[in-house]
Amino acid sequence: MGGVIIYPEIIGTLADSCFLVVPALKKEMARYAERRALGEEVGYRIDWNLVIVRSLEICIITLDILWDDGNITVIGFHSKTWDQLSQFMHFSNLLLLPDRGLIGEDNNLISPVAAQEGFLIKGIDKGLVSLANKAANISPDLNVRGLMTYLSDILNVARKTGRDLFLS
């Protein structure tokens, strides 16, 4: 995809993992699911970033997935979703789902088909620690200090309740 920020339709957690439903990834996920079905390993690297639109004084968190085929997927989270995003601190894996039909009505069950059509991203929690450090080091000149304080507070509360550790 690359260069385009897409937004999740649903952000959720289960007993042992977190998930995102991102319908805009349906074709991309099908391609990676097909590669996996053929026994091929699909490599990726993740990076959490902050996108600051200074003129509008807004900030978007992005989850950048850099795939082994050179493709880049950028999933964006506006500040209204940051509270939900903090739940990810308690999980090491994220399941990307391309279709709302893969989760149950009450958002707490995932269809067995989800394992085939979705894509499991590992190490999601470690990236959020890095994100908190980025937020703490944003230049005051960017006029988003209030949002960075809000983000740091959310992630610190999540870390405290989960592991008794604080971020700077």
Side-chain angles (χ1 to χ4, degrees):
M1 196 161 256
V4 175
I5 297 176
I6 54 176
Y7 297 93
E9 183 177 291
I10 298 172
I11 300 171
T13 60
L14 300 168
D16 60 353
S17 62
C18 52
F19 66 91
L20 294 176
V21 177
V22 190
L25 290 176
K26 192 166 192 132
K27 287 182 183 175
E28 199 167 345
M29 290 295 95
R31 185 172 63 239
Y32 295 126
E34 183 179 319
R35 284 178 56 192
R36 277 195 325 228
L38 294 172
E40 186 178 338
E41 186 173 322
V42 178
Y44 62 88
R45 185 173 57 84
I46 64 167
D47 193 18
W48 288 95
N49 283 300
L50 296 165
V51 176
I52 298 169
V53 182
R54 189 173 174 178
S55 62
L56 299 176
E57 294 185 9
I58 62 169
C59 183
I60 297 170
I61 294 172
T62 64
L63 170 59
D64 304 343
I65 307 169
L66 298 96
W67 301 100
D68 62 359
D69 61 3
N71 199 13
I72 300 171
T73 300
V74 181
I75 301 173
F77 304 90
H78 53 78
S79 59
K80 292 179 182 179
T81 63
W82 291 358
D83 285 327
Q84 289 175 293
L85 192 63
S86 70
Q87 297 174 46
F88 292 6
M89 294 290 289
H90 303 290
F91 302 101
S92 59
N93 299 323
L94 167 70
L95 183 60
L96 288 178
L97 299 171
D99 188 344
R100 167 72 171 92
L102 297 173
I103 59 172
E105 293 288 322
D106 53 3
N107 290 346
N108 67 359
L109 293 173
I110 291 184
S111 155
V113 177
Q116 296 171 339
E117 292 187 26
F119 194 90
L120 188 67
I121 302 290
K122 297 180 181 182
I124 206 81
D125 56 336
K126 292 175 183 67
L128 285 168
V129 172
S130 172
L131 174 66
N133 290 329
K134 289 176 184 178
N137 291 307
I138 290 291
S139 169
D141 297 341
L142 295 175
N143 296 327
V144 290
R145 180 57 33 207
L147 280 174
M148 294 305 100
T149 300
Y150 173 61
L151 176 59
S152 294
D153 289 348
I154 288 171
L155 294 177
N156 275 329
V157 167
R159 294 281 292 182
K160 185 175 189 298
T161 59
R163 299 188 187 125
D164 291 331
L165 298 172
F166 286 94
L167 306 171
S168 55

